[in-house]
């Protein structure tokens, strides 16, 4: 059993240089590490994303980019509530910006993060009342039984019973990146029917905090 406290683990995460100095998968991180996450032992709502982008790497704060603007609209939260560590935890699958691929797109979250830190982090605190999973990498870790599914299938599976959004322990969301605008147009039910119920669930949960 992991005997470290959350504070101890977070201090280790914020000092981590594994991907830069001792990478296990591919080359080293192409820049100095800057782990970005938001976590205390208070919030009952967890946001599990992919990895910081370049703007977040520069700011050191999660979702300080257009994706964050769209995500906050989906959740019905203003910035002050979104960044309130007592109300919302943000633990991406990769803590540092992984860099760009040859096409200029963000690389996948570094696998070293998940293998080194995630189980240790979640062993230090109670489970969350609601976990929002953004994208495939978060889905695969938190819902491994659906790892072989197309992400759209999993989103539809967890949003299929809209009334169940009020009690679900986990909900799967597409990434709020502009790259998914076409997906949102093909699946208008997500913003028309699912998002209002998601906002009501989040508001109710935060009101109890």
């Amino acid at each position: 059993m992991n005997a470290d406290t959350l504070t101890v683990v977070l201090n280790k995460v914020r000092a981590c240089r594994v991907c830069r100095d001792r990478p296990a998968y591919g080359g080293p991180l192409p820049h100095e590490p800057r782990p970005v996450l938001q976590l205390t032992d208070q919030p009952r709502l967890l946001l599990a994303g992919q990895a910081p982008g370049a703007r977040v790497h520069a700011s050191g704060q999660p979702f300080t980019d257009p994706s964050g603007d769209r995500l906050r609209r989906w959740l019905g939260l203003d910035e002050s509530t979104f960044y309130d560590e007592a109300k919302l935890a943000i633990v991406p699958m990769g803590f540092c910006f992984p860099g760009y691929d040859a096409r200029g797109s963000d690389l996948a979250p570094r696998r070293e993060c998940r293998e080194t830190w995630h189980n240790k982090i979640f062993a230090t605190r109670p489970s969350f009342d609601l976990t929002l999973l953004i994208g495939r990498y978060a889905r695969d870790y938190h819902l491994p039984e659906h790892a072989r599914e197309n992400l759209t299938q999993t989103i539809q599976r967890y949003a299929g019973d809209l009334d169940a959004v009020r009690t679900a322990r986990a909900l799967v969301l597409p990434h709020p990146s502009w790259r998914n605008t076409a997906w949102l147009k093909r699946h208008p039910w997500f913003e028309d029917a699912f998002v209002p119920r998601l906002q009501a669930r989040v508001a109710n949960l935060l009101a109890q905090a």
Side-chain angles (χ1 to χ4, degrees), residues 3-19:
D4 283 345
T5 66
L6 177 59
T7 298
V8 169
V9 173
L10 289 178
N11 286 339
K12 291 179 179 179
V13 167
R14 292 183 172 119
C16 181
R17 296 185 57 86
V18 170
C19 292

PDB file of all heavy atoms in Angstrom, residues 3-19:
ATOM      1  N   ALA A   3       2.149   4.555   1.176  1.00  0.00           N
ATOM      2  CA  ALA A   3       2.038   5.262   2.442  1.00  0.00           C
ATOM      3  C   ALA A   3       2.220   6.761   2.295  1.00  0.00           C
ATOM      4  O   ALA A   3       2.065   7.500   3.266  1.00  0.00           O
ATOM      5  CB  ALA A   3       3.061   4.710   3.431  1.00  0.00           C
ATOM      6  N   ASP A   4       2.575   7.235   1.110  1.00  0.00           N
ATOM      7  CA  ASP A   4       2.790   8.665   0.905  1.00  0.00           C
ATOM      8  C   ASP A   4       1.476   9.427   1.029  1.00  0.00           C
ATOM      9  O   ASP A   4       0.417   8.947   0.649  1.00  0.00           O
ATOM     10  CB  ASP A   4       3.383   8.938  -0.478  1.00  0.00           C
ATOM     11  CG  ASP A   4       4.870   8.625  -0.545  1.00  0.00           C
ATOM     12  OD1 ASP A   4       5.485   8.472   0.527  1.00  0.00           O
ATOM     13  OD2 ASP A   4       5.397   8.533  -1.658  1.00  0.00           O
ATOM     14  N   THR A   5       1.545  10.641   1.556  1.00  0.00           N
ATOM     15  CA  THR A   5       0.383  11.518   1.582  1.00  0.00           C
ATOM     16  C   THR A   5       0.256  12.221   0.236  1.00  0.00           C
ATOM     17  O   THR A   5       1.190  12.217  -0.586  1.00  0.00           O
ATOM     18  CB  THR A   5       0.542  12.574   2.682  1.00  0.00           C
ATOM     19  OG1 THR A   5       1.648  13.434   2.342  1.00  0.00           O
ATOM     20  CG2 THR A   5       0.781  11.922   4.029  1.00  0.00           C
ATOM     21  N   LEU A   6      -0.895  12.835   0.021  1.00  0.00           N
ATOM     22  CA  LEU A   6      -1.103  13.567  -1.221  1.00  0.00           C
ATOM     23  C   LEU A   6      -0.058  14.673  -1.378  1.00  0.00           C
ATOM     24  O   LEU A   6       0.483  14.877  -2.463  1.00  0.00           O
ATOM     25  CB  LEU A   6      -2.514  14.156  -1.249  1.00  0.00           C
ATOM     26  CG  LEU A   6      -2.867  15.012  -2.467  1.00  0.00           C
ATOM     27  CD1 LEU A   6      -2.718  14.225  -3.762  1.00  0.00           C
ATOM     28  CD2 LEU A   6      -4.276  15.565  -2.340  1.00  0.00           C
ATOM     29  N   THR A   7       0.236  15.380  -0.312  1.00  0.00           N
ATOM     30  CA  THR A   7       1.227  16.458  -0.385  1.00  0.00           C
ATOM     31  C   THR A   7       2.586  15.936  -0.819  1.00  0.00           C
ATOM     32  O   THR A   7       3.257  16.535  -1.668  1.00  0.00           O
ATOM     33  CB  THR A   7       1.351  17.164   0.980  1.00  0.00           C
ATOM     34  OG1 THR A   7       0.093  17.742   1.313  1.00  0.00           O
ATOM     35  CG2 THR A   7       2.401  18.256   0.929  1.00  0.00           C
ATOM     36  N   VAL A   8       2.988  14.817  -0.272  1.00  0.00           N
ATOM     37  CA  VAL A   8       4.278  14.227  -0.630  1.00  0.00           C
ATOM     38  C   VAL A   8       4.294  13.834  -2.099  1.00  0.00           C
ATOM     39  O   VAL A   8       5.256  14.114  -2.834  1.00  0.00           O
ATOM     40  CB  VAL A   8       4.582  13.004   0.266  1.00  0.00           C
ATOM     41  CG1 VAL A   8       5.788  12.227  -0.265  1.00  0.00           C
ATOM     42  CG2 VAL A   8       4.826  13.448   1.703  1.00  0.00           C
ATOM     43  N   VAL A   9       3.235  13.178  -2.560  1.00  0.00           N
ATOM     44  CA  VAL A   9       3.181  12.748  -3.955  1.00  0.00           C
ATOM     45  C   VAL A   9       3.195  13.957  -4.894  1.00  0.00           C
ATOM     46  O   VAL A   9       3.910  13.968  -5.906  1.00  0.00           O
ATOM     47  CB  VAL A   9       1.943  11.864  -4.210  1.00  0.00           C
ATOM     48  CG1 VAL A   9       1.812  11.557  -5.701  1.00  0.00           C
ATOM     49  CG2 VAL A   9       2.036  10.567  -3.423  1.00  0.00           C
ATOM     50  N   LEU A  10       2.413  14.982  -4.579  1.00  0.00           N
ATOM     51  CA  LEU A  10       2.375  16.159  -5.446  1.00  0.00           C
ATOM     52  C   LEU A  10       3.726  16.862  -5.499  1.00  0.00           C
ATOM     53  O   LEU A  10       4.137  17.361  -6.553  1.00  0.00           O
ATOM     54  CB  LEU A  10       1.292  17.124  -4.961  1.00  0.00           C
ATOM     55  CG  LEU A  10      -0.148  16.668  -5.186  1.00  0.00           C
ATOM     56  CD1 LEU A  10      -1.118  17.695  -4.611  1.00  0.00           C
ATOM     57  CD2 LEU A  10      -0.439  16.433  -6.665  1.00  0.00           C
ATOM     58  N   ASN A  11       4.430  16.914  -4.389  1.00  0.00           N
ATOM     59  CA  ASN A  11       5.775  17.499  -4.401  1.00  0.00           C
ATOM     60  C   ASN A  11       6.698  16.707  -5.320  1.00  0.00           C
ATOM     61  O   ASN A  11       7.526  17.288  -6.047  1.00  0.00           O
ATOM     62  CB  ASN A  11       6.346  17.549  -2.985  1.00  0.00           C
ATOM     63  CG  ASN A  11       5.711  18.629  -2.132  1.00  0.00           C
ATOM     64  OD1 ASN A  11       5.133  19.585  -2.651  1.00  0.00           O
ATOM     65  ND2 ASN A  11       5.801  18.485  -0.822  1.00  0.00           N
ATOM     66  N   LYS A  12       6.559  15.399  -5.304  1.00  0.00           N
ATOM     67  CA  LYS A  12       7.373  14.561  -6.186  1.00  0.00           C
ATOM     68  C   LYS A  12       6.981  14.763  -7.649  1.00  0.00           C
ATOM     69  O   LYS A  12       7.851  14.810  -8.535  1.00  0.00           O
ATOM     70  CB  LYS A  12       7.220  13.089  -5.791  1.00  0.00           C
ATOM     71  CG  LYS A  12       7.844  12.743  -4.450  1.00  0.00           C
ATOM     72  CD  LYS A  12       7.623  11.271  -4.111  1.00  0.00           C
ATOM     73  CE  LYS A  12       8.268  10.905  -2.781  1.00  0.00           C
ATOM     74  NZ  LYS A  12       8.044   9.467  -2.435  1.00  0.00           N
ATOM     75  N   VAL A  13       5.682  14.866  -7.910  1.00  0.00           N
ATOM     76  CA  VAL A  13       5.217  15.106  -9.279  1.00  0.00           C
ATOM     77  C   VAL A  13       5.788  16.417  -9.809  1.00  0.00           C
ATOM     78  O   VAL A  13       6.293  16.490 -10.946  1.00  0.00           O
ATOM     79  CB  VAL A  13       3.676  15.135  -9.331  1.00  0.00           C
ATOM     80  CG1 VAL A  13       3.190  15.695 -10.666  1.00  0.00           C
ATOM     81  CG2 VAL A  13       3.105  13.743  -9.105  1.00  0.00           C
ATOM     82  N   ARG A  14       5.716  17.460  -9.013  1.00  0.00           N
ATOM     83  CA  ARG A  14       6.147  18.782  -9.477  1.00  0.00           C
ATOM     84  C   ARG A  14       7.658  18.876  -9.647  1.00  0.00           C
ATOM     85  O   ARG A  14       8.144  19.783 -10.332  1.00  0.00           O
ATOM     86  CB  ARG A  14       5.610  19.850  -8.526  1.00  0.00           C
ATOM     87  CG  ARG A  14       4.078  19.953  -8.616  1.00  0.00           C
ATOM     88  CD  ARG A  14       3.476  21.037  -7.751  1.00  0.00           C
ATOM     89  NE  ARG A  14       2.056  21.175  -8.068  1.00  0.00           N
ATOM     90  CZ  ARG A  14       1.062  20.978  -7.212  1.00  0.00           C
ATOM     91  NH1 ARG A  14       1.334  20.620  -5.965  1.00  0.00           N
ATOM     92  NH2 ARG A  14      -0.198  21.121  -7.584  1.00  0.00           N
ATOM     93  N   ALA A  15       8.384  17.942  -9.059  1.00  0.00           N
ATOM     94  CA  ALA A  15       9.837  17.893  -9.250  1.00  0.00           C
ATOM     95  C   ALA A  15      10.249  16.833 -10.271  1.00  0.00           C
ATOM     96  O   ALA A  15      11.449  16.643 -10.508  1.00  0.00           O
ATOM     97  CB  ALA A  15      10.514  17.609  -7.907  1.00  0.00           C
ATOM     98  N   CYS A  16       9.282  16.171 -10.889  1.00  0.00           N
ATOM     99  CA  CYS A  16       9.575  15.034 -11.761  1.00  0.00           C
ATOM    100  C   CYS A  16      10.340  15.463 -13.016  1.00  0.00           C
ATOM    101  O   CYS A  16       9.998  16.463 -13.662  1.00  0.00           O
ATOM    102  CB  CYS A  16       8.276  14.339 -12.157  1.00  0.00           C
ATOM    103  SG  CYS A  16       8.509  12.896 -13.217  1.00  0.00           S
ATOM    104  N   ARG A  17      11.342  14.661 -13.386  1.00  0.00           N
ATOM    105  CA  ARG A  17      12.126  14.880 -14.603  1.00  0.00           C
ATOM    106  C   ARG A  17      12.295  13.574 -15.380  1.00  0.00           C
ATOM    107  O   ARG A  17      13.208  13.455 -16.208  1.00  0.00           O
ATOM    108  CB  ARG A  17      13.487  15.463 -14.254  1.00  0.00           C
ATOM    109  CG  ARG A  17      13.443  16.848 -13.621  1.00  0.00           C
ATOM    110  CD  ARG A  17      14.840  17.407 -13.420  1.00  0.00           C
ATOM    111  NE  ARG A  17      15.573  17.461 -14.671  1.00  0.00           N
ATOM    112  CZ  ARG A  17      15.509  18.481 -15.540  1.00  0.00           C
ATOM    113  NH1 ARG A  17      14.716  19.517 -15.300  1.00  0.00           N
ATOM    114  NH2 ARG A  17      16.204  18.443 -16.659  1.00  0.00           N
ATOM    115  N   VAL A  18      11.455  12.602 -15.120  1.00  0.00           N
ATOM    116  CA  VAL A  18      11.609  11.287 -15.730  1.00  0.00           C
ATOM    117  C   VAL A  18      11.650  11.373 -17.251  1.00  0.00           C
ATOM    118  O   VAL A  18      12.522  10.796 -17.905  1.00  0.00           O
ATOM    119  CB  VAL A  18      10.484  10.337 -15.264  1.00  0.00           C
ATOM    120  CG1 VAL A  18      10.492   9.054 -16.084  1.00  0.00           C
ATOM    121  CG2 VAL A  18      10.649  10.002 -13.785  1.00  0.00           C
ATOM    122  N   CYS A  19      10.695  12.092 -17.853  1.00  0.00           N
ATOM    123  CA  CYS A  19      10.605  12.145 -19.315  1.00  0.00           C
ATOM    124  C   CYS A  19      11.770  12.912 -19.942  1.00  0.00           C
ATOM    125  O   CYS A  19      12.094  12.701 -21.106  1.00  0.00           O
ATOM    126  CB  CYS A  19       9.291  12.796 -19.743  1.00  0.00           C
ATOM    127  SG  CYS A  19       7.842  11.819 -19.355  1.00  0.00           S
TER     128      CYS A  19
END
